[in-house]
């Protein structure tokens, strides 16, 4: 069988490589010629892909990439792994999914299996994707097959990768479900869990991420209360974590970034409104998380004031711009929101991040600097906004900085101590 994977990002490329490794002939589709060329040269650009694996499957001719959607005609299976962002009104933007489905519809043929993996609100597969495909006159569940199977890639996770993470599958009918289940069982070393329709599969993914955003908001609120009461929230979390059942630790920070957690729950909010329900808890969680960058700057102001310094003109070393530890992605990064607010108060900020050389900031490209002793001594305060475990010289930071505000307690987690270190 020939498998098509549309969207060669952090979800699609690992999936394409795994399918090629399993012995399928895979055609990767992407609109970015740069990505297509890199794949065809066997050059990896996704952290979670083993570079050797990509090289091998490309050299063996098991994986080729293209921007030409006509090659979809050769595919027996097509997996859609394109982004589902929010637009500037925080409304779901399904344009990538719709455009991709329309491209597939032009090449749809009998016996084709289409699987949507992009995170979206319940109902998308049956109410948006299916009608576009059936406009061709071909009938779902008779002429072609359609299922939803949420991606669960956790960028930077060294233990769970595409191959060993369990998968959920929901087809629009028995045959679609069976075919999709067989597809994933043939490439994964993990159980494939079948649900009764695409809706349950779509909703299960939203639940996974909404569970996170709500619990992160809870611990952020707890951190604010604890600070006012002079309680060490990090100790509190460790203490609560000794409960062997019914508790799962989350950690406070400067906010919630990435392309999933701050976005996916608002797909549900949007859809729930259509059914007349207002998802108050989810929206409140979003508000609390969105208030954290301002809270971080408030704490910086307090720490400087205690030393008779004001934020205006303060020399701030911002340690970490990625949205989470040990990744290079800065999408929705709370660190960038902290940077923006600090500069709004006219602080003089130098961002450093070993994983990020340059980043998009206010429609410009901004560069990070290398962390040096001089920078540590220059700074009135170093603000740690990303919990990078690796590639940061924290020993130098603790020794050379006069004041450190560690919003992620990464120094504590790595065993560094110092009376110049302050926590959220
Ligand atoms: N964060 C906190 N406190 C926490 C956990 C996370 O402030 O206790 C912040 C992080 O710093 C980051 C954001 O929330 O800015 C999102 O973190 P994340 O750990 O959820 O990471 P993502 O968005 O890269 O990946 C998540 C996956 N993460 C985990 O399950 C650990 C998973 O939920 C999904 O596979 C993925 O989103 C997705 O694609 O939906």
């Amino acid at each position: 069988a020939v498998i098509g994977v549309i969207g060669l990002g952090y979800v699609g490329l690992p999936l394409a490589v795994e399918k090629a490794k399993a012995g399928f002939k895979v055609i990767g589709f992407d609109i970015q010629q740069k990505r297509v060329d890199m794949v065809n040269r066997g050059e990896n650009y996704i952290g979670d892909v083993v570079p050797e694996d990509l090289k091998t499957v490309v050299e063996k001719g098991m994986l080729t990439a293209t921007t030409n959607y006509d090659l979809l005609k050769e595919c027996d299976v097509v997996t859609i792994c394109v982004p589902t962002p929010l637009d500037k009104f925080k409304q779901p933007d399904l344009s990538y999914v719709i455009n991709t489905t329309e491209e597939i519809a032009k090449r749809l043929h009998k016996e084709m299996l289409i699987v949507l993996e992009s995170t979206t609100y319940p109902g998308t597969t049956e109410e948006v994707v299916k009608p576009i495909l059936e406009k061709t006159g071909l009938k779902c569940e008779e002429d072609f097959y359609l299922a939803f199977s949420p991606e669960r890639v956790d960028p930077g996770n060294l233990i769970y990768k595409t191959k060993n993470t369990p998968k959920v599958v929901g087809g629009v009918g028995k045959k679609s479900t069976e075919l999709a289940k067989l597809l994933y069982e043939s490439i994964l070393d993990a159980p494939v869990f079948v649900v009764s329709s695409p809706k349950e599969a779509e909703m299960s993914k939203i639940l996974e991420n909404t569970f996170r955003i709500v619990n992160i908001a809870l611990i952020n609120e707890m951190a604010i209360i604890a600070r006012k009461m002079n309680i060490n929230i990090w100790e509190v979390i460790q203490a609560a974590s000794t409960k062997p059942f019914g508790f799962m630790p989350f950690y406070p920070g400067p906010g919630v970034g990435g392309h999933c957690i701050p976005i996916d729950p608002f797909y549900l909010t949007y859809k729930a409104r259509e059914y007349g329900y207002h998802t108050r808890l989810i929206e409140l969680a979003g508000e609390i998380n969105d208030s954290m960058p301002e809270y971080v700057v408030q704490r910086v102001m307090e720490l400087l004031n205690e030393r008779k310094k004001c934020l205006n003109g303060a020399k701030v070393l911002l340690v970490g711009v990625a949205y989470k530890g040990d990744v290079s992605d800065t999408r929705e990064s709370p660190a960038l929101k902290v940077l923006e607010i600090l500069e709004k108060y006219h602080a003089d900020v130098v961002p450093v991040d070993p994983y990020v050389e340059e980043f998009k900031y206010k429609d410009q490209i901004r560069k990070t600097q290398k962390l040096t002793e001089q920078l540590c001594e220059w700074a009135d305060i170093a603000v740690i906004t990303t919990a990078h475990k690796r590639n940061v010289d924290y020993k130098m930071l603790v020794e050379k900085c006069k004041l450190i505000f560690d919003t992620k307690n990464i120094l504590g987690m790595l065993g560094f101590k110092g009376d110049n270190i302050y926590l959220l």
Side-chain angles (χ1 to χ4, degrees), residues 10-11 119 151-155 157 205 208-209 212 215-216 219-220 249-262 264 289 322-325 327 332-334 385 408:
Y10 78 95
V11 175
T119 306
E151 56 84 8
R152 275 178 168 167
V153 173
D154 179 24
N157 190 318
K205 173 67 182 179
E208 287 169 25
N209 285 357
R212 294 183 65 73
N215 278 289
I216 294 166
I219 199 63
N220 280 331
F250 285 83
Y251 302 93
V256 171
H259 28 265
C260 320
I261 304 305
D264 301 345
N289 291 331
Y323 80 88
K324 75 169 184 179
V327 300
E332 300 291 317
S333 173
T385 37
K408 300 292 284 191

Side-chain angles (χ1 to χ4, degrees), residues 38-55:
M38 287 184 78
V39 169
N40 289 331
R41 289 197 301 264
E43 285 170 27
N44 183 40
Y45 51 87
I46 295 286
D48 286 355
V49 170
V50 175
E52 275 321 300
D53 288 353
L54 174 64
K55 249 171 112 67

Side-chain angles (χ1 to χ4, degrees), residues 166-201:
K167 205 82 164 66
V168 169
V169 163
V172 298
K174 273 198 180 355
K175 272 202 230 164
S176 298
T177 301
E178 191 47 37
L179 282 171
K181 181 173 180 291
L182 287 173
L183 168 72
Y184 287 110
E185 282 174 343
S186 67
I187 54 173
L188 300 181
D189 289 340
V192 176
F193 185 81
V194 165
V195 289
S196 48
S197 91
K199 276 197 172 105
E200 280 76 19

